[in-house]
Amino acid sequence: MKASNKITNTMAVNSHVQEGLHYDDLKIAKIMMVDDEPIMLDIVQALLEEGGYCNFIKVEHSSKAMMRLLNSKPDILLLDLDMPEVNGFDLLKAVRQQEDYQFLPVIILTASEEPGNKLKALEMGATDFLSKPVDPSELVLRIRNTLAAKAYQDQLAYYDNLTGLPNRKLFIDHLNRGIDMAKRDNKPLALLDVGLDRFRQINETLGLYTGDIILKLVAQRLTEVIRSYDVVGHADTMKQMESMARLGADEFSIVLCGVNSVENASSICKRVLDVIKMPFIVNGTEIFLTANIGISVYPHDGEEIESLIKHAGSAKDFAKNNGTDNYQYYSSDMNTRTRALLKMESDLRKAVKNEEFELYYQPKVNSDSGKVMGMECLLRWIHPDEGFISPDDFIHIAENMGLIVSIGEWVLKQACKQTREWVDAGHSELKLSVNVSPRQFADAGLKASIESALSYSGLDPKHLVLEITESMLMGNVDHFVSLLMDIKNLGVSFSLDDFGTGYSSLSYLKRFPIDELKIDRSFLTDVPASKDDNSIVRAIIAMAHSLGQKVVAEGVEHTEQLEFLRQHNCDIIQGYYFSKPLDSTGFLAYLSNDK
Ligand code: C2E
Ligand code: MG
Ligand code: MG
């Protein structure tokens, strides 16, 4: 265990990953000596220097000792008893009355022959007692052992056992120092609150042991990001390694001192999000994670530690409600927006009860024949006061609330029933695509709810396509492969939606039983004008075809886009070019015209 981390305020922490105790790490401890005889101070210093120590505070006038102690925050105090101004007992008593110094190691060094003194000093809280003249080896060893014991206690009290990062207590200490420095240097400080998404899901599916390994790896990756930031030289005096902490099960905090600009913190946030998105490999299994970060800046968002922490937390919650893999600066109107969000949450609950949802259908058209192959079912919320609310504005909230599970069940049931009617009416080849949220995949009841929608509607499973997104692949890949296989065995197929916007690992494309790939709209907007986008789209089509998957282009609005996609053998087109999403009456009319 790296027990020396807290040993001095100036010490750089080399690694937060717990290692063995190195006595050498203790050598930079700050040693304060109080003795009225200057020669004694010099002798003890010389002996300790020989033992490798280098950081001393020597005090000859005991009346000044308390002030020096409070200012210099030593790691250990060597105290004489017989002193003319304030004697050692009184000083010891005063030290012990200070909350922060109740447990500071104090070694009494005295020439006093008085037999009761030793006991009295120990009773008053002295850690050890040495008689002058001191034996040099004994002095060095006693100091080493006392410092080691203190370091071990500090490790337990100030560091997170699992990751070796500072815990909340030490973090508050660091943040306070950071704020002092920011005040002094007149430079802002940024506080980052990093929350992992759906970590509970990882613990539940893979077990706590694997969860622990991942948390350690996350801590390592964050440490590396912060370390490289330090090397780049953006950080000032405060060691960045000391400025990270683990505050909760899946919550980390980072203090960035001397941030020169808002962009500075933004670039760190992007790097943090990027390293968390890289797959974690535990026992040969790839595991995917994302995070959200809230940022508060001193002094702009608060001058006190409490308000900075609170505001970074609100910003993180805000980021989370806007999706995964985001960072967000605190802003004062966030409180208003948070209230609006709370209202939206309560309205959403009512919406489920009152069935305020409606389903729209957007045609998916064969690029060669122009025939409607099927339709994507898109959810609409008709709010009693606000009217139409876009799914982009409420799906994430429903996901965070867990409400998406029951909403999703309703969507599946209604859409399957509707499709059955259209199939029965003669549109026998129609394929219904339904969006399934990652949150639904985390729910054990998903397969049963698909089965129940199919049996309720009597729809043949071959008509049902489930649209999933790359972000679903969070967590354990093996687990999802078998979950998808299991559901696919019902006879339904899978489509990978918004392809290219998430963590596009080609390895999972091969492993997941995906029948269709939807190129995200963002790649198609500038096709065919943008050469880069043209190449990307061509590459995606070629890759999907080589894996035996059909390709859908989303968001096609213009003839030029359509021509390009046809030329490059894209199979299916969806977009305003053919039709906006339509209500069921509108869609049936569209189908009838298509015949
Ligand atoms: P998505 O699954 O990628 O759906 C495609 C979105 O693109 C739809 O937005 C559609 O209206 C829009 N769109 C289609 N063609 C065009 C076009 O040519 N131009 C433009 N600018 N947009 C086009 P919508 O309906 O607002 O849905 C947004 C997202 O909300 C969907 O993206 C999907 O992720 C989610 N969503 C919708 N319905 C459901 C649902 O029932 N369950 C779940 N879990 N998510 C849903
Ligand atoms: Mg979709
Ligand atoms: Mg899409």
Side-chain angles (χ1 to χ4, degrees), residues 362 376 379-380 391-392 435 497-498 521 554-555 557 576 581:
Q362 187 176 33
E376 176 171 9
L379 185 61
R380 302 287 177 256
D392 281 333
N435 292 291
D497 203 357
D498 305 339
R521 189 165 81 225
E554 289 190 284
E557 297 184 359
Y576 295 173

Side-chain angles (χ1 to χ4, degrees), residues 53-100:
Y53 294 92
C54 55
N55 202 346
F56 301 97
I57 303 150
K58 294 190 286 183
V59 183
E60 195 186 320
H61 298 286
S62 57
S63 58
K64 296 186 180 147
M66 202 57 208
M67 193 53 83
R68 288 289 298 277
L69 180 127
L70 294 176
N71 288 334
S72 55
K73 302 181 176 150
D75 296 302
I76 188 166
L77 173 63
L78 307 186
L79 186 60
D80 184 22
L81 281 184
D82 282 328
M83 293 183 290
E85 294 171 3
V86 180
N87 76 37
F89 288 122
D90 290 343
L91 196 52
L92 178 58
K93 191 170 164 197
V95 169
R96 290 299 181 234
Q97 277 167 356
Q98 295 288 325
E99 200 185 338
D100 286 350

Side-chain angles (χ1 to χ4, degrees), residues 201 205-206 285 441-442 476-484 511:
Q201 187 184 320
T205 54
L206 296 167
T285 302
F441 275 92
N476 181 353
V477 173
D478 289 337
H479 168 77
F480 279 121
V481 171
S482 66
L483 184 62
L484 292 189
R511 293 186 55 202

Side-chain angles (χ1 to χ4, degrees), residues 81 147 164 187 209 247 337 390 392 455-456 527 590:
L81 281 184
L147 286 172
K187 278 200 170 160
Y209 178 71
L247 299 190
R337 289 194 273 165
S390 154
D392 281 333
S455 71
Y456 165 80
V527 161
Y590 189 91

Side-chain angles (χ1 to χ4, degrees), residues 37 80-82 108-114 129-133:
E37 291 177 69
D80 184 22
L81 281 184
D82 282 328
I108 304 291
L109 284 183
T110 179
S112 158
E113 298 285 327
E114 190 79 39
F129 194 99
L130 278 173
S131 299
K132 288 190 222 171

Side-chain angles (χ1 to χ4, degrees), residues 296-396:
S296 62
V297 178
Y298 168 90
H300 185 264
D301 301 329
E303 303 207 5
E304 305 297 329
I305 201 163
E306 291 80 18
S307 55
L308 282 174
I309 292 178
K310 190 172 140 220
H311 291 160
S314 320
K316 182 188 68 184
D317 292 344
F318 204 84
K320 198 168 173 184
N321 281 317
N322 285 301
T324 53
D325 198 24
N326 280 329
Y327 65 91
Q328 171 78 49
Y329 285 86
Y330 175 75
S331 77
S332 49
D333 69 348
M334 216 165 250
N335 289 337
T336 325
R337 289 194 273 165
T338 304
R339 269 198 297 280
L341 178 73
L342 289 175
K343 179 171 182 317
M344 172 95 103
E345 286 185 359
S346 106
D347 287 357
L348 252 181
R349 282 189 211 285
K350 285 186 216 145
V352 174
K353 257 207 273 160
N354 302 341
E355 301 204 348
E356 292 166 11
F357 298 110
E358 203 174 314
L359 295 182
Y360 273 54
Y361 298 90
Q362 187 176 33
K364 289 168 90 174
V365 175
N366 181 304
S367 72
D368 284 332
S369 65
K371 240 184 105 46
V372 178
M373 313 290 296
M375 61 288 175
E376 176 171 9
C377 158
L378 294 159
L379 185 61
R380 302 287 177 256
W381 177 13
I382 320 295
H383 190 283
D385 307 319
E386 325 253 337
F388 174 87
I389 299 181
S390 154
D392 281 333
D393 293 332
F394 71 84
I395 293 281
H396 285 307

Side-chain angles (χ1 to χ4, degrees), residues 194-213:
V194 183
L196 303 177
D197 293 321
R198 294 182 235 154
F199 193 74
R200 221 186 65 198
Q201 187 184 320
I202 290 195
N203 274 339
E204 282 169 3
T205 54
L206 296 167
L208 294 179
Y209 178 71
T210 306
D212 282 356
I213 295 179

